[in-house]
Amino acid sequence: MHVVRTRFVQTFIAIAVAYLGIVVVISQSSAGDAEKIDSKLVKMSADNRLELLVQITSVNPLEGTANARVLPWPNSEDIGYKLKSGWVPTQDVDLIVDSVIGASNGGSNTYSFKKDVPTGGFDIQIDEQPGSGPRNNISWYPLDKYNFEIPMSAVSNLKNGDQVTLNILPLDYTKNIDTFDVKMVHGLWNDAYKTVTINDKESFKLAIDEFNNGQSSSVFETHRSNSTKLLVIIILLLMITAMLSVTIMTYMVVTGQRPPTLSSLTWAAALTYSLISLRGLMPGSPPIGIFVDKIFYFPALIVTLVCSLWVLVTWVRREDFQS
């Protein structure tokens, strides 16, 4: 008995140590070199620029779309003045944002800001980037990944009707969103396959040239957060445990090594229904039929259901019953 108690305590100590290690690992930032790249681009950009702060507010994997908020943020009084949550343009500015659904007047993708009129940002809906990878499908949950591209350009409207491009700089100010981690990658307007990387000096130069020409193309890479993946793994382990528990119990009952009592029948039925509740706990509410359903949920549900029926049949046919 002392050995059993010792092993029981040791098991929980090992689980606690492993869990703490997992928490430390999943708490690490997934931004990578994004902050370093942004800092370098800020230093290289023109001082009289219009910063475009972009925030991904939600992702819809089923539609392949994401909602985003864009806030123009002037870095020079030649363009405008900053407010606490908005800005005041000092010239007429047109901002063109390529999106699925525009929020400007008339639903177009051109957002006009009039001189000396206090204003703020705007919301848009963007589509998934074509060819974003083999895992851009909800069936891959929780390993699914999605890329969203936001091309933007800005011009200033002069009194004589001419337009002049503005120096711009897109920056990410996305906060945490449900079940997803988001990272912004600076792409190139004229090269859809090239992005700015920390060790590629040429990519920085090309990006700055496009920014100074009033053009930018930003890609937002989204994937499930580590906490989401951990919770899914725990839920799947619970499903497997429930399935194995019912299977072992049913085997013991059917082979006569344990009595077919009403409590065993109740337990088998309760574990069967618990699987349905566990499936509903998966973060992000993935639809029925994803890959993990076919590998874990459906087999576990079928096995526990069959085992419950076997326990029921054995309980009904027990010969020691007296009315």
Side-chain angles (χ1 to χ4, degrees):
M1 183 63 67
H2 176 70
V3 174
V4 174
R5 288 199 299 265
T6 302
R7 290 182 177 178
F8 179 79
V9 173
Q10 290 175 345
T11 300
F12 273 90
I13 293 176
I15 292 175
V17 172
Y19 176 74
L20 290 175
I22 292 173
V23 169
V24 171
V25 172
I26 67 176
S27 299
Q28 302 299 315
S29 174
S30 60
D33 294 327
E35 293 182 0
K36 295 181 181 178
I37 292 175
D38 284 347
S39 298
K40 189 172 181 179
L41 288 173
V42 168
K43 294 178 180 178
M44 296 175 63
S45 298
D47 292 333
N48 59 334
R49 65 179 181 268
L50 178 63
E51 295 180 353
L52 303 174
L53 308 183
V54 184
Q55 176 187 14
I56 300 296
T57 56
S58 64
V59 175
N60 190 331
L62 295 178
E63 294 182 357
T65 59
N67 292 323
R69 181 166 299 145
V70 180
L71 175 62
W73 200 243
N75 194 63
S76 170
E77 294 182 357
D78 294 337
I79 301 175
Y81 298 95
K82 297 177 182 178
L83 302 176
K84 287 187 176 181
S85 300
W87 65 300
V88 181
T90 55
Q91 51 185 289
D92 293 337
V93 175
D94 282 348
L95 183 61
I96 298 92
V97 181
D98 188 9
S99 61
V100 177
I101 298 178
S104 64
N105 293 333
S108 71
N109 290 334
T110 300
Y111 303 82
S112 299
F113 302 93
K114 298 299 182 182
K115 178 180 178 181
D116 297 330
V117 178
T119 185
F122 52 89
D123 294 330
I124 58 174
Q125 187 178 86
I126 52 179
D127 203 359
E128 190 178 352
Q129 185 184 37
S132 58
R135 296 192 344 223
N136 62 337
N137 192 296
I138 190 64
S139 297
W140 280 91
Y141 176 95
L143 302 177
D144 47 337
K145 299 172 63 177
Y146 309 93
N147 293 342
F148 301 95
E149 186 175 10
I150 310 179
M152 296 180 289
S153 60
V155 295
S156 174
N157 299 308
L158 303 180
K159 293 182 179 180
N160 60 5
D162 293 338
Q163 290 185 328
V164 179
T165 58
L166 293 176
N167 301 321
I168 61 174
L169 176 61
L171 294 173
D172 178 26
Y173 79 117
T174 298
K175 307 299 181 183
N176 293 330
I177 61 176
D178 187 30
T179 75
F180 282 100
D181 282 339
V182 182
K183 182 179 73 172
M184 178 181 176
V185 176
H186 295 277
L188 295 180
W189 182 281
N190 296 312
D191 190 346
Y193 301 98
K194 189 175 182 62
T195 59
V196 178
T197 55
I198 192 66
N199 295 321
D200 188 354
K201 296 181 179 179
E202 181 66 19
S203 64
F204 279 91
K205 181 179 181 301
L206 293 174
I208 291 298
D209 289 342
E210 290 186 349
F211 295 162
N212 292 339
N213 194 37
Q215 298 174 329
S216 71
S217 182
S218 304
V219 178
F220 287 85
E221 300 177 348
T222 63
H223 58 85
R224 302 288 176 175
S225 64
N226 292 330
S227 297
T228 298
K229 294 175 183 177
L230 177 60
L231 180 56
V232 172
I233 291 173
I234 293 174
I235 292 174
L236 295 179
L237 289 176
L238 288 174
M239 289 183 179
I240 294 174
T241 302
M243 179 182 67
L244 292 177
S245 299
V246 175
T247 302
I248 294 172
M249 182 196 68
T250 303
Y251 176 79
M252 300 293 285
V253 170
V254 171
T255 57
Q257 301 181 54
R258 287 293 184 271
T261 60
L262 182 61
S263 60
S264 63
L265 177 61
T266 303
W267 186 39
L271 286 178
T272 302
Y273 284 107
S274 70
L275 291 176
I276 301 176
S277 300
L278 284 174
R279 179 57 178 80
L281 291 177
M282 286 193 175
S285 302
I288 294 294
I290 57 178
F291 185 71
V292 293
D293 285 340
K294 299 172 183 177
I295 300 299
F296 296 98
Y297 178 56
F298 293 159
L301 200 60
I302 293 172
V303 170
T304 53
L305 176 60
V306 172
C307 289
S308 298
L309 293 176
W310 267 108
V311 173
L312 174 61
V313 171
T314 307
W315 179 76
V316 170
R317 297 176 59 185
R318 59 182 296 181
E319 296 178 355
D320 62 341
F321 174 75
Q322 295 180 357
S323 60

